[in-house]
Amino acid sequence: MGRAALLLLLLVATAGRAGVSAAGGPEVHSLRGSWRLRNGNGSVVLRGEVPGCVHTALHRRGLIQDPYYRFNDVMYRWISLDNWTYSRTFKTPFDIKKWQKVNLVFEGVDTVAQILINNITLGRTDNMFNRYEQCSFSWDWGPSFPTQGIWKDVRIEAYNHYHLIYFSLTSFFVKSAQQWSLEIESIFDVVSSKPIAGLVTVNIPKLQTQQTFGVKLQPGEGSIVLLVNINKSSAVEAWWPNGHGKQTGYNMTTTFIMEAGYQIEKYSKAYFRTVELVQEPIPGSPGLSFYFKINGRPIFIKGSNWIPADSFQDRVTYDTLWLLLKSAADANMNALRVWGGGVYEQDEFYNICDEIGIMIWQDFMFACALYPTDQNYLESVRAEVSHQVRRLKSHPSIILWSGNNENEAAIASNWFSIPYADREVYIKDYVLLYVKNIREIVLAEDKSRPFIASSPTNGLESVKEGWVSQNPYDTHYGDTHFYDYNNDCWNWTVYPKTRFASEYGFQSWPSFSTIEKVSSTEDWSYTSNFSLHRQHHENGNDQMLQQIGHHFKLPQSTDPIKKFKDTIYLTQVMQAQCIKTETEFYRFSQSEIIKGEGHTMGALYWQLNDIWQAPSWASLEYGGKWKLLHYFAQNFFAPLLPVAYEDKGVLYIYGVSDLHADRKLTLRVIVHAWSSLEPVCTLAKDGVTVKAQSAVLIYMESINNLLERCRNCTRKSCVITFCLVGEGGLQSPTNHHFLSSLKDAVGLEKTHLSASVSQRDDVYVFVLQTTAIAPFVSLDVGHIKGRFSDNGFLMTEKKKVVVFYPWEPTSVEDLEESLTLTSLVDVV
């Protein structure tokens, strides 16, 4: 194992004029801004911004290219291998002698660092949160950029008597009293040698709730826990996930008036929601359920997995996070899993999730590895876990703590070839780290949400088996991760009828416009060195072609750039169709048990976002552009959806609903011939009952009967579309079911696609026209940032209106000039 490069942080403090703080409160002096940065031997010296890291500092000064350009992840390895020193001189802005305690606070140092002030070593760090971020050293979707730097805020703070370090609030619903209550925890650093008494007043005006408490702070780490009962005569609006209600929050003021020192006023948002993870027997099935109840209501979890948005965390702005998270909500997602090999996200991430109703399954940052359990390491982990839980537990969006990613499975399946004789030692270490340390701290710090030790896990069954179950992928318990790149992804029978699918996916390439920014002309081929270098998943590029080959003709163009663009397009079509098939399988399995399996209550595909421009499992490209998969997700996660599958020659259509009430609807089934824009036949089935929050069978017919009824149709010459329609404008997306592979389709004609563009207020309207049925119609406006209302669709009518929502100023002229229209018949 190579040595870790050392980061030195040198500060020179000189006396400044004394300042007096208002009302005797703490003094805070920021050390953000420009620092001097140099490498180990002094051959590279520059100014570096703090917060920031070495790579971004070098790039800003023009000393290196964009680290993501072409092969720069290899070219710039020297940066991570060198030792770097950040230094700056500052004047102390206050008279240090007047303060009982002065802290130099680094919110985030990356990673192995020594901190000196006036040549005296103040401390050392070896834990980014506190600890290495694993995926910095490359993963199968990302580059290797072990970064160094001061990646979060740095400041000096001075105080007397006491200082508020953590402030959190969690809500509970007391069933016996039919009343909401808030637990408010405040943790202080008390520097006084004697206890300090005082009063704390909590005020939530909108809920007509105000309470005052007498409190006493003990020297050291003083903690106050207050229980505030919400006025029963006030109607509390609960926080609900996206698609299930509002995300109401209440302004709250907490005032601390202590007998010594100063007054503190803390402004915060109070949210009210409960969460339960239900694991109980299911009639007709061995094993246990695994689903979430929010505010007492079972919720089908729809979403994806979140990875770090950039290798260089200082580049991740509020706008970056908002764009990605809003895109998740716009695709009808209600949840994301923050994966355990990345980072604990910044406060803004969780604030946005609170605001837009995205539930968070929060992994602790341990993934696919065996970890040490020596005393120093365990102390570091305990500090990390305690800090993160205290920092994050106020967020209603977080519904679950999970100890690690795939480490139970790693031991159970023996990924690391542990000799059988040593297995018990590794299991003991696993339990020591995740159960006796992490779990113990989580349960002590936060009683408001559930904890599982790993993902995938068998949940309570894993606990029963000593925390490492024989088969953590058992479909009768807990959650599963499932990947299969060899079988035909349109074949729903290969998917596990699991209780909860927390990881599954297929790769695709990002758009040409995204790749173009980090490549040159010689790279624009599927088999170029660049394309091979960018693919970090073994055989990934070949697996995509193999999966495409099941149902589509591979591109044969003699123009190499057209062939590359066609291949990119087909990887996105394939990925979208594969994950559509798998997700729809999980959604229609929610209300049934077949051969002891079913009651699937969650579908989180891998993965939402990209860390750089490369082939990956993501549905959002680096920069936020929607792949075809994300447009498909908007439909396959719709609150109301008809889903079709075939079994032994019979077509089954299920009505899948997340709506809170039963609905009487009309099912419209239309059969089209590939050769005509006129439907061959139409069926309208009225009075179809789609049950609330369920998946029920609403239609079945043998394909042979259907084809006989719709004359002149064969499996190869026709396609089925269908939708649900109700009163008051209620309508599902139009779904499709292919009767054969599209490479075998008969009657598909070369179509002429055209679009006219006009502006309407802040959006742009694209009116599309086609001369023939066009499968998988893709609209692409290159580098112009924004998203369409629909994309990748099956166009079965002469005209279709699509809206473009821009994320930056643009014009009709720019959009017309940048627009590329592609359908399956354009691939040659």
Side-chain angles (χ1 to χ4, degrees):
M1 192 179 187
R3 68 178 182 87
L6 180 68
L7 183 70
L8 277 174
L9 309 176
L10 305 179
L11 295 118
V12 178
T14 60
R17 64 182 182 82
V20 181
S21 152
E27 281 273 11
V28 179
H29 177 63
S30 175
L31 293 176
R32 293 170 83 106
S34 185
W35 288 51
R36 185 170 177 267
L37 177 60
R38 69 177 177 85
N39 71 333
N41 65 9
S43 60
V44 182
V45 181
L46 65 150
R47 305 305 299 174
E49 287 300 308
V50 168
C53 75
V54 176
H55 286 82
T56 48
L58 291 167
H59 185 218
R60 271 195 196 122
R61 301 289 163 196
L63 297 173
I64 61 171
Q65 294 174 306
D66 177 357
Y68 285 172
Y69 183 69
R70 297 197 77 210
F71 304 95
N72 284 347
D73 54 323
V74 175
M75 299 291 288
Y76 296 155
R77 277 188 187 154
W78 64 270
I79 297 168
S80 305
L81 296 171
D82 208 339
N83 293 331
W84 293 88
T85 302
Y86 277 87
S87 59
R88 72 167 286 173
T89 300
F90 65 95
K91 286 187 175 179
T92 50
F94 38 75
D95 184 352
I96 283 174
K97 297 188 195 78
K98 289 187 176 177
W99 300 94
Q100 289 171 290
K101 191 154 188 182
V102 179
N103 290 334
L104 175 61
V105 180
F106 287 88
E107 290 282 352
V109 174
D110 187 4
T111 287
V112 178
Q114 192 174 346
I115 301 161
L116 298 94
I117 189 162
N118 294 352
N119 257 357
I120 296 165
T121 300
L122 288 189
R124 290 179 166 85
T125 70
D126 67 349
N127 184 328
M128 182 178 171
F129 3 85
N130 321 318
R131 199 180 66 260
Y132 281 113
E133 173 197 350
Q134 268 182 277
C135 71
S136 296
F137 296 96
S138 185
W139 214 266
D140 51 10
W141 38 255
S144 175
F145 281 113
T147 51
Q148 293 163 282
I150 305 168
W151 67 298
K152 286 189 177 179
D153 195 27
V154 55
R155 64 185 180 275
I156 296 169
E157 55 188 30
Y159 48 90
N160 293 328
H161 307 297
Y162 54 83
H163 184 53
L164 180 61
I165 316 170
Y166 294 103
F167 178 86
S168 62
L169 49 146
T170 45
S171 61
F172 297 88
F173 187 71
V174 184
K175 282 184 183 169
S176 56
Q178 286 293 295
Q179 185 177 27
W180 284 99
S181 65
L182 279 178
E183 185 179 281
I184 300 169
E185 185 174 19
S186 312
I187 297 172
F188 292 82
D189 180 17
V190 182
V191 290
S192 161
S193 56
K194 294 175 184 167
I196 302 172
L199 295 174
V200 180
T201 301
V202 178
N203 186 20
I204 311 171
K206 263 203 165 169
L207 296 176
Q208 298 156 349
T209 297
Q210 182 169 323
Q211 274 176 258
T212 299
F213 304 83
V215 297
K216 193 172 274 189
L217 286 175
Q218 298 300 329
E221 190 177 271
S223 167
I224 301 171
V225 178
L226 308 173
L227 199 66
V228 175
N229 293 318
I230 303 303
N231 189 331
K232 270 188 164 180
S233 62
S234 295
V236 175
E237 278 191 14
W239 181 95
W240 286 97
N242 182 35
H244 289 276
K246 291 184 195 165
Q247 291 78 47
T248 306
Y250 295 90
N251 291 332
M252 177 175 114
T253 308
T254 309
T255 310
F256 300 83
I257 303 171
M258 312 306 286
E259 63 185 21
Y262 55 98
Q263 179 174 319
I264 298 173
E265 273 203 315
K266 189 80 185 165
Y267 300 99
S268 48
K269 268 256 197 287
Y271 293 96
F272 296 87
R273 73 106 187 85
T274 62
V275 57
E276 302 162 72
L277 174 56
V278 182
Q279 300 180 73
E280 60 189 19
I282 298 172
S285 173
L288 300 170
S289 64
F290 190 92
Y291 68 92
F292 291 89
K293 270 187 179 178
I294 304 296
N295 304 324
R297 183 180 285 278
I299 302 285
F300 187 98
I301 302 289
K302 304 184 295 189
S304 188
N305 285 260
W306 173 273
I307 64 162
D310 205 297
S311 290
F312 311 105
Q313 281 291 302
D314 53 300
R315 299 203 299 203
V316 181
T317 63
Y318 177 89
D319 289 346
T320 308
L321 295 171
W322 171 259
L323 188 65
L324 294 169
L325 292 169
K326 184 69 170 66
S327 291
D330 287 344
N332 290 309
M333 295 186 188
N334 60 27
L336 291 171
R337 173 172 170 251
V338 176
W339 170 75
V343 294
Y344 299 100
E345 280 299 335
Q346 49 192 281
D347 293 342
E348 284 90 344
F349 173 91
Y350 302 97
N351 290 336
I352 294 167
C353 291
D354 293 345
E355 286 167 31
I356 64 177
I358 298 293
M359 296 178 282
I360 295 297
W361 168 315
Q362 179 67 54
D363 279 5
F364 287 99
M365 294 301 123
F366 303 83
C368 305
L370 301 169
Y371 291 84
T373 52
D374 58 90
Q375 207 48 42
N376 285 349
Y377 184 74
L378 289 177
E379 278 172 23
S380 172
V381 165
R382 288 178 74 88
E384 169 194 329
V385 171
S386 175
H387 166 63
Q388 295 298 347
V389 174
R390 287 172 175 182
R391 177 175 79 94
L392 297 175
K393 68 179 178 180
S394 301
H395 292 283
S397 52
I398 298 175
I399 61 163
L400 177 74
W401 301 112
S402 175
N404 66 69
N405 173 70
E406 296 182 346
N407 292 349
E408 180 186 339
I411 293 176
S413 308
N414 203 10
W415 294 358
F416 304 113
S417 306
I418 299 163
Y420 187 77
D422 299 336
R423 183 178 150 82
E424 285 307 312
V425 175
Y426 284 90
I427 291 175
K428 193 178 166 194
D429 283 353
Y430 176 92
V431 172
L432 179 61
L433 177 58
Y434 299 111
V435 182
K436 294 184 176 167
N437 280 276
I438 294 175
R439 178 174 178 270
E440 190 179 279
I441 288 172
V442 172
L443 296 184
E445 294 284 352
D446 181 18
K447 295 176 179 63
S448 72
R449 48 178 69 80
F451 171 91
I452 56 172
S454 187
S455 174
T457 183
N458 286 348
L460 292 178
E461 178 61 21
S462 288
V463 177
K464 199 168 143 192
E465 292 180 40
W467 298 96
V468 176
S469 61
Q470 221 174 343
N471 173 22
Y473 296 93
D474 191 330
T475 53
H476 301 95
Y477 300 94
D479 65 321
T480 56
H481 297 186
F482 179 81
Y483 296 94
D484 178 351
Y485 308 114
N486 299 319
N487 283 302
D488 174 3
C489 76
W490 290 19
N491 176 9
W492 59 269
T493 64
V494 302
Y495 301 125
K497 212 167 177 76
T498 174
R499 303 292 191 226
F500 196 108
S502 53
E503 268 193 38
Y504 59 97
F506 295 87
Q507 280 199 324
S508 73
W509 272 77
S511 309
F512 181 74
S513 60
T514 297
I515 289 293
E516 192 177 20
K517 291 172 188 165
V518 289
S519 57
S520 64
T521 318
E522 72 249 45
D523 300 327
W524 298 342
S525 146
Y526 198 72
T527 52
S528 68
N529 286 339
F530 171 83
S531 292
L532 294 170
H533 175 71
R534 233 45 188 191
Q535 174 58 268
H536 285 202
H537 173 58
E538 193 179 355
N539 297 329
N541 288 349
D542 289 340
Q543 285 169 351
M544 280 186 268
L545 294 181
Q546 184 189 327
Q547 195 60 251
I548 290 166
H550 285 308
H551 298 289
F552 306 100
K553 291 170 184 166
L554 291 169
Q556 303 296 330
S557 176
T558 51
D559 175 348
I561 295 177
K562 173 162 171 46
K563 188 177 180 182
F564 185 47
K565 288 180 176 177
D566 284 349
T567 308
I568 288 172
Y569 164 78
L570 280 177
T571 67
Q572 290 208 14
V573 167
M574 172 275 294
Q575 179 196 35
Q577 188 67 23
C578 287
I579 294 183
K580 169 189 186 293
T581 306
E582 188 165 357
T583 306
E584 288 181 350
F585 170 75
Y586 295 136
R587 286 195 77 187
F588 81 64
S589 297
Q590 67 182 277
S591 304
E592 65 185 17
I593 295 290
I594 306 285
K595 294 179 184 169
E597 293 180 319
H599 275 226
T600 307
M601 283 298 286
L604 299 171
Y605 66 75
W606 183 269
Q607 68 207 59
L608 179 75
N609 56 315
D610 258 336
I611 199 168
W612 71 331
Q613 308 90 336
S616 81
W617 294 256
S619 62
L620 296 175
E621 300 175 9
Y622 181 78
K625 187 170 185 170
W626 289 28
K627 286 183 180 176
L628 293 187
L629 167 57
H630 209 79
Y631 288 103
F632 272 46
Q634 190 175 226
N635 289 337
F636 64 59
F637 281 145
L640 177 67
L641 184 70
V643 169
Y645 73 94
E646 254 186 73
D647 192 20
K648 299 184 178 73
V650 178
L651 177 72
Y652 297 87
I653 299 180
Y654 277 62
V656 179
S657 173
D658 289 327
L659 306 176
H660 291 189
D662 293 358
R663 294 295 172 104
K664 276 247 185 315
L665 305 167
T666 297
L667 172 68
R668 286 191 189 144
V669 181
I670 301 174
V671 178
H672 296 269
W674 287 120
S675 57
S676 170
L677 285 165
E678 294 302 317
V680 175
C681 64
T682 302
L683 168 91
K685 186 180 175 188
D686 296 321
V688 171
T689 300
V690 175
K691 288 192 172 173
Q693 296 188 272
S694 300
V696 293
L697 181 64
I698 54 174
Y699 179 81
M700 64 182 284
E701 184 176 10
S702 80
I703 297 292
N704 287 343
N705 281 4
L706 190 69
L707 294 176
E708 268 177 40
R709 223 166 20 85
C710 303
R711 295 190 182 171
N712 305 323
C713 252
T714 67
R715 277 187 173 272
K716 290 181 180 178
S717 69
C718 288
V719 61
I720 301 171
T721 66
F722 45 96
C723 69
L724 287 164
V725 183
E727 290 172 0
L730 179 66
Q731 184 163 352
S732 75
T734 297
N735 209 338
H736 58 258
H737 178 71
F738 297 125
L739 296 168
S740 73
S741 294
L742 273 80
K743 65 181 180 184
D744 301 324
V746 172
L748 263 180
E749 295 168 13
K750 183 79 177 151
T751 178
H752 177 66
L753 279 171
S754 61
S756 63
V757 187
S758 59
Q759 187 170 358
R760 189 179 70 205
D761 300 325
D762 297 335
V763 301
Y764 294 86
V765 177
F766 286 65
V767 178
L768 267 65
Q769 295 198 303
T770 182
T771 55
I773 285 190
F776 302 111
V777 174
S778 161
L779 297 89
D780 192 316
V781 287
H783 298 289
I784 298 173
K785 291 186 172 173
R787 72 164 181 93
F788 291 96
S789 56
D790 195 4
N791 214 341
F793 44 82
L794 175 63
M795 194 163 171
T796 56
E797 292 175 327
K798 282 177 189 166
K799 197 168 113 179
K800 184 175 171 80
V801 177
V802 177
V803 177
F804 181 73
Y805 302 96
W807 296 333
E808 61 184 10
T810 186
S811 67
V812 168
E813 295 71 35
D814 287 350
L815 288 165
E816 283 176 337
E817 199 178 314
S818 304
L819 178 64
T820 307
L821 287 170
T822 310
S823 83
L824 192 64
V825 291
D826 296 311
V827 175
V828 289

Coordinates of all heavy atoms in Angstrom, one line a residue, residues 57 71 122 175 178 180 217 225 228 247 296 300 304 349 363 416 460 483 509 511 536 549 605 643 679 726 784 788:
A57 N -7.2 24.7 -7.7 CA -6.3 25.9 -7.6 C -5.4 25.9 -8.8 O -5.2 26.9 -9.5 CB -5.5 25.8 -6.3
F71 N -7.2 12.2 -21.0 CA -6.5 11.3 -20.2 C -5.9 12.0 -19.0 O -4.9 11.4 -18.4 CB -5.4 10.5 -21.0 CG -6.0 9.9 -22.2 CD1 -5.9 10.5 -23.4 CD2 -6.5 8.6 -22.1 CE1 -6.4 9.8 -24.6 CE2 -7.0 8.0 -23.2 CZ -7.0 8.6 -24.5
L122 N -0.5 22.1 16.0 CA -1.8 22.1 16.7 C -2.5 20.8 16.6 O -3.2 20.4 17.5 CB -2.7 23.2 16.2 CG -2.4 24.6 16.4 CD1 -3.6 25.5 16.0 CD2 -2.1 24.9 17.9
K175 N -49.1 8.7 20.3 CA -50.4 8.1 19.9 C -51.4 8.2 21.1 O -52.6 8.5 20.9 CB -50.3 6.7 19.5 CG -49.8 6.6 18.0 CD -49.7 5.1 17.6 CE -49.1 5.0 16.2 NZ -48.8 3.6 15.8
Q178 N -52.5 11.6 21.2 CA -52.9 12.1 19.9 C -52.3 13.5 19.7 O -53.0 14.5 19.4 CB -54.4 12.2 19.7 CG -55.0 10.8 19.5 CD -54.6 10.2 18.2 OE1 -54.9 10.7 17.1 NE2 -53.8 9.1 18.2
W180 N -48.5 15.9 18.7 CA -47.1 16.0 18.2 C -46.3 16.6 19.3 O -46.7 17.5 20.0 CB -47.1 16.9 17.0 CG -47.6 16.2 15.7 CD1 -48.8 16.4 15.1 CD2 -46.8 15.3 14.8 NE1 -48.9 15.7 14.0 CE2 -47.7 15.0 13.8 CE3 -45.5 14.8 14.9 CZ2 -47.3 14.2 12.7 CZ3 -45.2 13.9 13.8 CH2 -46.0 13.6 12.8
L217 N -26.4 24.1 32.6 CA -25.4 23.5 31.8 C -24.2 23.1 32.7 O -23.7 23.8 33.5 CB -24.8 24.6 30.8 CG -25.7 25.0 29.6 CD1 -25.0 26.1 28.9 CD2 -25.8 23.8 28.7
V225 N -31.7 18.6 26.7 CA -32.8 18.0 25.9 C -34.1 18.5 26.4 O -34.5 18.3 27.6 CB -32.7 16.4 26.0 CG1 -33.8 15.8 25.1 CG2 -31.3 15.9 25.5
V228 N -41.0 19.6 23.7 CA -42.0 20.6 23.5 C -43.2 19.9 23.0 O -43.2 19.3 22.0 CB -41.5 21.6 22.5 CG1 -42.6 22.6 22.2 CG2 -40.2 22.3 23.1
Q247 N -44.7 19.7 1.9 CA -43.5 19.6 2.7 C -43.5 20.8 3.7 O -42.6 21.6 3.6 CB -42.2 19.6 1.8 CG -42.0 18.3 1.0 CD -42.9 18.3 -0.2 OE1 -43.0 19.3 -1.0 NE2 -43.6 17.2 -0.5
G296 N -47.7 7.0 9.2 CA -48.6 5.9 9.3 C -49.1 5.4 8.0 O -49.8 4.4 7.9
F300 N -44.6 3.4 -1.4 CA -43.7 2.8 -2.3 C -42.6 3.7 -2.6 O -42.8 4.8 -3.1 CB -44.5 2.4 -3.6 CG -43.7 1.5 -4.5 CD1 -43.8 0.1 -4.5 CD2 -42.7 2.1 -5.4 CE1 -43.0 -0.7 -5.3 CE2 -41.9 1.3 -6.2 CZ -42.1 -0.1 -6.2
S304 N -33.6 6.6 -6.9 CA -32.3 6.2 -7.4 C -31.2 6.3 -6.3 O -31.5 6.5 -5.2 CB -32.0 7.1 -8.6 OG -30.8 6.6 -9.3
F349 N -27.7 20.1 0.5 CA -28.3 18.9 -0.1 C -29.5 18.5 0.7 O -30.6 18.3 0.1 CB -27.2 17.8 -0.1 CG -27.7 16.5 -0.6 CD1 -27.7 16.1 -1.9 CD2 -28.3 15.6 0.3 CE1 -28.1 14.9 -2.4 CE2 -28.7 14.3 -0.1 CZ -28.7 14.0 -1.5
D363 N -26.6 6.1 3.9 CA -25.5 5.1 4.2 C -24.4 5.9 5.1 O -24.2 7.1 4.8 CB -24.8 4.6 3.0 CG -25.5 3.5 2.3 OD1 -26.6 3.1 2.7 OD2 -25.0 2.9 1.3
F416 N -13.5 -11.4 -0.5 CA -12.0 -11.2 -0.3 C -11.2 -12.4 0.1 O -10.1 -12.4 0.6 CB -11.9 -10.1 0.9 CG -12.6 -8.9 0.6 CD1 -13.7 -8.5 1.4 CD2 -12.2 -8.0 -0.5 CE1 -14.4 -7.3 1.1 CE2 -12.9 -6.9 -0.8 CZ -14.0 -6.5 0.0
L460 N -34.1 -8.0 9.9 CA -34.3 -8.7 11.2 C -33.7 -10.1 11.1 O -33.2 -10.7 12.1 CB -35.7 -8.7 11.7 CG -36.3 -7.3 12.1 CD1 -37.8 -7.5 12.5 CD2 -35.5 -6.7 13.2
Y483 N -27.7 -7.1 -10.4 CA -27.2 -6.7 -11.7 C -27.0 -8.0 -12.6 O -26.5 -9.0 -12.2 CB -25.8 -6.1 -11.6 CG -25.9 -4.8 -10.8 CD1 -25.6 -4.7 -9.4 CD2 -26.2 -3.6 -11.5 CE1 -25.7 -3.5 -8.7 CE2 -26.2 -2.4 -10.7 CZ -26.0 -2.4 -9.4 OH -26.0 -1.2 -8.7
W509 N -23.9 5.5 -22.6 CA -23.0 6.6 -22.8 C -23.7 7.9 -22.6 O -24.9 8.0 -23.0 CB -22.3 6.5 -24.2 CG -21.1 5.6 -24.1 CD1 -21.1 4.3 -24.1 CD2 -19.7 6.1 -24.1 NE1 -19.7 3.8 -24.1 CE2 -18.9 4.9 -24.1 CE3 -19.1 7.3 -24.2 CZ2 -17.5 5.0 -24.1 CZ3 -17.8 7.4 -24.1 CH2 -17.0 6.3 -24.1
S511 N -24.5 11.9 -23.7 CA -24.7 12.5 -25.0 C -23.4 13.0 -25.6 O -22.4 13.3 -24.9 CB -25.6 13.8 -24.9 OG -26.7 13.5 -24.2
H536 N -14.8 2.3 -17.0 CA -14.1 1.7 -15.8 C -14.8 0.4 -15.3 O -14.4 -0.2 -14.3 CB -14.1 2.7 -14.7 CG -13.1 3.8 -14.9 ND1 -12.6 4.5 -13.8 CD2 -12.5 4.3 -16.0 CE1 -11.7 5.4 -14.3 NE2 -11.6 5.3 -15.6
G549 N -27.8 -5.6 -29.1 CA -28.0 -6.6 -30.1 C -29.1 -7.5 -29.9 O -29.6 -8.1 -30.9
Y605 N -33.0 2.6 -8.6 CA -32.1 2.2 -9.6 C -30.7 2.8 -9.4 O -30.6 3.9 -8.7 CB -32.6 2.4 -11.0 CG -32.7 3.8 -11.5 CD1 -31.6 4.6 -11.9 CD2 -34.0 4.3 -11.7 CE1 -31.8 5.9 -12.3 CE2 -34.2 5.6 -12.1 CZ -33.1 6.4 -12.5 OH -33.2 7.7 -12.9
V643 N -49.2 -0.9 -16.7 CA -47.9 -1.7 -17.0 C -48.3 -3.0 -17.6 O -49.2 -3.7 -17.1 CB -47.2 -1.9 -15.7 CG1 -46.0 -2.9 -15.9 CG2 -46.6 -0.6 -15.1
P679 N -54.5 4.0 -36.4 CA -54.5 2.8 -35.6 C -55.2 1.6 -36.3 O -56.1 1.8 -37.1 CB -55.4 3.2 -34.4 CG -55.3 4.7 -34.4 CD -55.1 5.1 -35.8
G726 N -59.2 9.3 -16.6 CA -60.2 9.5 -15.6 C -60.9 10.8 -15.7 O -60.6 11.6 -16.6
I784 N -27.0 23.5 -25.1 CA -28.0 24.4 -24.4 C -28.6 23.7 -23.2 O -29.1 22.6 -23.3 CB -29.1 24.9 -25.4 CG1 -28.5 25.7 -26.5 CG2 -30.2 25.7 -24.7 CD1 -29.4 26.0 -27.7
F788 N -36.6 18.7 -21.7 CA -37.8 18.7 -22.4 C -38.9 18.1 -21.5 O -38.6 17.4 -20.5 CB -37.7 17.8 -23.7 CG -36.8 18.4 -24.7 CD1 -35.5 18.1 -24.8 CD2 -37.4 19.4 -25.6 CE1 -34.7 18.7 -25.8 CE2 -36.6 20.0 -26.6 CZ -35.3 19.6 -26.7

